[in-house]
Amino acid sequence: MSAKPRRHILAETPESLAPWLAEAGEPAFRGKQIFEWVYRRRAESFEAMSNLPKLLRDRLAEAFEIYTSSIARRADSSDGTIKLLLAWPDGATSECVMIPDGDRRTVCIGSQVGCPVGCRFCASGIDGVERNLTAGQIVEQVMRVEQICRDVDRVPDETTLHQLSNIVMMGSGEPLANYQHVMAAVRILNAPWGLHIGARKITISTVGLPKQIRKLAEEGLQVNLALSAHAPNDALRRELIPWAEQIGLAELVAACRHYFEKTGREITFEYILLAGVNDRAEHAEQLAKLVKQLRCNVNLIRYNPVSPLPFGRPTSDATTRFQAILRKSGVNAHVRKSRGMDIDAACGQLRRKAQAESVVTPAARVPNDGE
Ligand code: SAH
Ligand code: SF4
């Protein structure tokens, strides 16, 4: 009877839980109580749900689990950024990050274990993709980070969850290649009975899958879309991003324009500046022409070097020059602050490091978060 794998409560909704409750002979309002315990009061066990009958608590514990990960590593940056490496029951690991900025707390989460795209500059795709994260695991990353925020900010228990200002899906993986789980998670993050984080505070960053961008536009959600452009023309983009072989910038711009028209949300174009590769004046001029075809802004990201990969971080002068050319052409361009530089800031780095260390010294899992 109890040999069946338990369901992850963080992937459930009031609708999906209703048949189970009915079968257990419980009234429907129990669903509301359960989610209140999980998302408002942050219960870590069904046992703690003290206004539920004991028998129901026992049956819930047999059929469901709440938290499924353990924190394999934690790295604290001197700038307040905190990175967690979560280990899932199957041995897969994924990173999530809390980035404080004044009163704001941004959480950066992943969508897959590894990444199938394999961009030449990125640590996440070096070994390909291991698997998708499930909806429950995506939500659990946010919950784990939120717990850290509470500890850091000394928020007393049993306060409603409003510690997180923004959620960005910019960790490992290509979210639109795991569309179903990502959307199920976004709905739970957004739901009033769930984490209740406004869709406008949730950003999905994608390498650019036009069909899925158009589908996302029809979801009736106002999530922000960030397109990882990284090059102002297809030839250069193909050198950096393997999937650009099949997908051209013109097609992506058209899909993004459709997204803006449907949702009213301005697109963000992300552009990693790689020293000597895509950071010249002519690149900036070409990029300005490209992005002026739609309502968008540009986020310039100075590359965080990843040890075996042959790319360098541009100087801040080169970065400012690039930004100035965009601005002179009337493009709204910002340089993203680099955070957590002392804790392997680039997504996928901590996971790789932990994997490498456990291969070399399986027994001694001593954190080493230096340079
Ligand atoms: N796969 C999605 C989302 C995850 S990557 C995407 O590519 O958009 C999120 C962002 O982090 C992307 O813009 C990506 O290019 C950037 N990124 C990856 N590695 C980086 C590095 N080493 N330094 C700076 N930004 C990096
Ligand atoms: Fe995957 Fe994004 Fe990294 Fe490219 S940049 S390999 S799409 S995670």
Side-chain angles (χ1 to χ4, degrees):
M1 187 174 77
S2 59
K4 262 182 39 186
R6 288 185 293 166
R7 285 157 62 177
H8 197 178
I9 201 85
L10 299 180
E12 301 288 338
T13 65
E15 294 75 35
S16 70
L17 202 56
W20 185 90
L21 285 169
E23 205 170 300
E26 290 289 339
F29 69 80
R30 295 288 185 215
K32 188 164 176 276
Q33 288 178 313
I34 293 166
F35 288 116
E36 232 172 68
W37 275 106
V38 171
Y39 293 109
R40 300 285 157 268
R41 306 173 78 169
R42 294 198 119 273
E44 299 209 5
S45 71
F46 293 104
E47 191 46 42
M49 302 182 177
S50 53
N51 58 352
L52 302 185
K54 172 82 176 111
L55 181 65
L56 174 59
R57 280 186 269 161
D58 291 346
R59 293 184 71 174
L60 280 166
E62 257 174 43
F64 296 92
E65 46 193 346
I66 308 180
Y67 290 91
T68 62
S69 66
S70 59
I71 298 179
R73 293 230 175 161
R74 170 178 165 157
D76 288 55
S77 165
S78 54
D79 70 14
T81 302
I82 299 175
K83 197 178 237 197
L84 300 179
L85 184 72
L86 301 183
W88 302 105
D90 65 353
T93 54
S94 56
E95 294 177 3
C96 40
V97 191
M98 189 275 278
I99 306 154
D101 188 9
D103 287 342
R104 284 158 48 119
R105 305 276 174 268
T106 295
V107 34
C108 175
I109 55 173
S111 53
Q112 297 180 303
V113 179
C115 182
V117 183
C119 299
R120 305 286 180 234
F121 48 80
C122 177
S124 300
I126 293 177
D127 298 318
V129 67
E130 210 172 302
R131 65 169 176 80
N132 284 334
L133 286 172
T134 62
Q137 289 169 339
I138 295 169
V139 173
E140 183 163 333
Q141 294 180 76
V142 178
M143 300 292 279
R144 288 289 194 208
V145 172
E146 201 268 350
Q147 181 69 59
I148 298 284
C149 291
R150 284 168 167 263
D151 294 348
V152 170
D153 296 337
R154 301 205 159 73
V155 174
D157 281 349
E158 310 227 339
T159 313
T160 46
L161 291 174
H162 277 299
Q163 289 305 292
L164 302 179
S165 331
N166 292 287
I167 297 182
V168 296
M169 227 172 256
M170 292 187 180
S172 294
E174 170 44 49
L176 297 187
N178 182 17
Y179 192 90
Q180 245 185 319
H181 286 131
V182 164
M183 284 320 295
V186 166
R187 292 197 184 278
I188 295 169
L189 297 174
N190 180 232
W193 53 264
L195 271 103
H196 207 185
I197 293 170
R200 290 161 170 241
K201 303 199 161 165
I202 301 175
T203 299
I204 294 181
S205 173
T206 177
V207 73
L209 305 182
K211 223 170 77 198
Q212 284 85 338
I213 291 174
R214 288 173 187 274
K215 195 164 163 199
L216 187 64
E218 310 302 324
E219 295 280 355
L221 280 168
Q222 285 202 308
V223 295
N224 301 307
L225 185 68
L227 177 78
S228 287
H230 307 328
N233 61 64
D234 286 325
L236 181 54
R237 196 163 189 266
R238 281 188 212 116
E239 283 178 30
L240 302 172
I241 304 174
W243 286 16
E245 214 55 68
Q246 282 83 41
I247 300 162
L249 280 164
E251 198 186 344
L252 284 174
V253 166
C256 287
R257 187 182 299 119
H258 176 79
Y259 190 82
F260 171 70
E261 281 161 7
K262 279 278 170 178
T263 63
R265 304 300 290 158
E266 264 185 31
I267 309 294
T268 299
F269 272 63
E270 293 170 285
Y271 195 100
I272 289 198
L273 289 166
L274 304 161
V277 175
N278 64 354
D279 65 344
R280 290 200 293 274
E282 70 250 36
H283 295 133
E285 283 152 13
Q286 229 183 342
L287 180 64
K289 278 205 196 105
L290 178 79
V291 301
K292 283 176 81 172
Q293 298 176 51
L294 74 169
R295 282 279 291 276
C296 71
N297 48 67
V298 173
N299 231 327
L300 298 172
I301 309 162
R302 287 174 74 197
Y303 183 59
N304 291 317
V306 173
S307 76
L309 304 179
F311 296 98
R313 185 174 171 85
T315 61
S316 52
D317 274 359
T319 308
T320 313
R321 251 178 281 137
F322 198 95
Q323 181 188 25
I325 296 172
L326 290 173
R327 287 198 165 163
K328 227 170 88 193
S329 320
V331 174
N332 188 13
H334 297 276
V335 179
R336 186 185 299 160
K337 264 198 248 169
S338 293
R339 303 296 302 268
M341 289 295 285
D342 51 345
I343 54 161
D344 301 311
C347 66
Q349 270 185 319
L350 185 63
R351 173 168 169 261
R352 282 183 62 75
K353 192 167 174 174
Q355 280 173 339
E357 285 171 12
S358 60
V359 169
V360 181
T361 51
R365 295 179 61 86
V366 183
N368 169 17
D369 299 314
E371 311 295 73

